[in-house]
Amino acid sequence: MAEAPRPPLQISQPPTTAISDLERTVMATVTLSETRGDPPWLCAAKVAQCCGSGTSEPGFPNADLASILVSNLCFSHNTPSLWKLLEQAMATQLVYPLHVLALLTPRVIPNRKEQPKAYRLYLELMRQYAVFFSLLKAASLKKKVTTSIDVALQLSDTYGVEKMNFGMAVVLFLVNALTDLLDCILDDWGLLVASEAQFVKEGSQSMHVDMKGGLNNNRSKYHQQLRQPNVFTALEVMEKLCSSKFVQVSLRLVYKNLLGLNHSMVCFRGLRLSRIIIRIQACHL
C-alpha cells in the first residue's frame, strides 16, 4: 500500500515578526521626519500613529516601541534627533521611562569612555526620569515591562529572585542604578579595584556607533575633555536619587533584607550598597 502523502510542514511565524514590521514602520517614519526637519514633538506624534493598531499592542506606554528606539539608538542611528525623540517619547509616556533607562544601561555604561556624549545624555535622562514613577494599569504590559527590565539588567540572577514582579523590578532597578553609578565614578577616578570591576562587560550590546577607523588623537583628547564633567554629572544624579524619599525607603528595605538575598549579591554589590545606606543615614537625607 502506497504511503499516504504527508501534510506540508507547518512553520509558525516567529513572535518577533510583528515587532520587526513595527520597527521598519517606525524607523521609516523617523527618517522621513528627520528629512523634513520636524520638531521632536511632531516626530513623536507620527511615531505614535505607527503604534496605534495592527503590529503592536495598542495603547501607551508601548514596550515594543521602547525596545525599537533604544536598539536603533545604540546600534544604527546614534543621532541627536533620535535622542530628542526618545526623550519626547519618555516625557509624553509613549514609552515607560524606567523601561527605557533599563534598556539603555547595559548598552551605554560599558561604553561610556568611548562614547562620552551618549553617557552624558544617558545621565541626563537618569537625572530626569529615574525617580519618575507611574502605575502601569494593563497586566500584560506590566508583565512585559517587568520581564524586559529583568532580562536587560539580569536582576533575577544578580539578586537571587525566583519570581520577579513589577514592584521588585522597580526597587532593584534603583539599587542597580546606584551601584552602577558608584562603580562608574570610582572606575573613572581610578579607585575601583579589579575585583569590583565586574560590571564592565564587553558584550554583544556594545554601541557600534561612530567608531570607523578607530579613535584618532584629536578625538581621544576631545573625549577626555568630556569624561571629567561626566563624573561630576554622575555624582549629581546619585545625589538626586538618594534625596528621593522613595529611593531612601527602598534602599533601607533592601539593606534590612540583605542577608536574605543570594550570595553573589552580598559579595559583589552588598558592600557598596551598605556604604550608600550609611552615607544616607549619616547625612539625614
Side-chain angles (χ1 to χ4, degrees):
M1 181 181 293
E3 183 179 356
R6 297 180 180 179
L9 180 64
Q10 298 293 325
I11 303 178
S12 59
Q13 292 293 329
T16 57
T17 300
I19 299 178
S20 299
D21 292 341
L22 177 62
E23 181 173 4
R24 283 191 288 270
T25 304
V26 166
M27 294 314 299
T29 301
V30 169
T31 301
L32 186 59
S33 289
E34 288 178 343
T35 303
R36 291 195 302 255
D38 293 342
W41 66 266
L42 182 56
C43 183
K46 296 291 185 182
V47 167
Q49 292 177 353
C50 300
C51 304
S53 61
T55 56
S56 179
E57 289 186 11
F60 299 99
N62 191 294
D64 293 339
L65 178 60
S67 299
I68 289 168
L69 292 179
V70 171
S71 63
N72 279 275
L73 178 66
C74 293
F75 289 94
S76 306
H77 302 88
N78 188 42
T79 60
S81 58
L82 192 53
W83 278 99
K84 292 177 182 177
L85 171 60
L86 184 66
E87 196 280 331
Q88 184 70 29
M90 294 169 73
T92 55
Q93 288 285 288
L94 295 182
V95 294
Y96 191 63
L98 252 63
H99 184 205
V100 171
L101 293 173
L103 294 175
L104 283 172
T105 296
R107 291 169 165 86
V108 174
I109 283 186
N111 302 280
R112 68 191 186 282
K113 294 182 180 179
E114 292 76 22
Q115 299 293 333
K117 282 186 176 180
Y119 183 47
R120 176 58 181 266
L121 293 170
Y122 164 80
L123 290 174
E124 292 298 335
L125 292 178
M126 284 287 291
R127 187 208 303 268
Q128 201 166 354
Y129 294 103
V131 292
F132 178 82
F133 304 109
S134 61
L135 296 177
L136 296 177
K137 296 181 181 180
S140 59
L141 175 62
K142 187 181 295 186
K143 182 178 180 181
K144 195 170 188 176
V145 168
T146 300
T147 301
S148 185
I149 292 175
D150 187 17
V151 171
L153 299 177
Q154 301 178 7
L155 297 178
S156 292
D157 292 338
T158 302
Y159 298 100
V161 178
E162 294 184 0
K163 188 174 182 181
M164 184 73 65
N165 60 43
F166 180 72
M168 294 170 66
V170 170
V171 170
L172 293 179
F173 163 83
L174 294 169
V175 174
N176 191 82
L178 282 169
T179 50
D180 274 357
L181 286 174
L182 182 58
D183 284 341
C184 287
I185 293 166
L186 294 176
D187 184 49
D188 292 342
W189 276 342
L191 301 175
L192 191 68
V193 298
S195 61
E196 293 179 322
Q198 297 192 8
F199 75 101
V200 182
K201 298 177 182 178
E202 296 296 337
S204 60
Q205 300 193 72
S206 298
M207 292 178 63
H208 302 295
V209 292
D210 197 29
M211 296 293 287
K212 296 180 180 178
L215 298 175
N216 57 33
N217 290 334
N218 290 333
R219 185 181 299 173
S220 180
K221 292 179 181 178
Y222 175 63
H223 282 184
Q224 183 61 33
Q225 293 173 353
L226 294 176
R227 288 171 192 153
Q228 285 302 320
N230 284 347
V231 179
F232 292 100
T233 303
L235 281 168
E236 292 171 359
V237 173
M238 281 195 68
E239 189 277 333
K240 182 171 183 178
L241 286 175
C242 290
S243 66
S244 165
K245 293 296 183 182
F246 178 83
V247 175
Q248 291 175 37
V249 172
S250 299
L251 288 174
R252 289 192 184 101
L253 287 174
V254 173
Y255 178 63
K256 288 181 178 180
N257 293 277
L258 191 60
L259 296 178
L261 300 176
N262 74 351
H263 183 68
S264 63
M265 187 323 196
V266 174
C267 290
F268 300 130
R269 311 185 80 85
L271 179 58
R272 288 187 294 275
L273 178 61
S274 300
R275 288 171 179 168
I276 293 173
I277 294 293
I278 292 170
R279 296 297 186 276
I280 293 173
Q281 293 175 340
C283 296
H284 302 287
L285 294 177

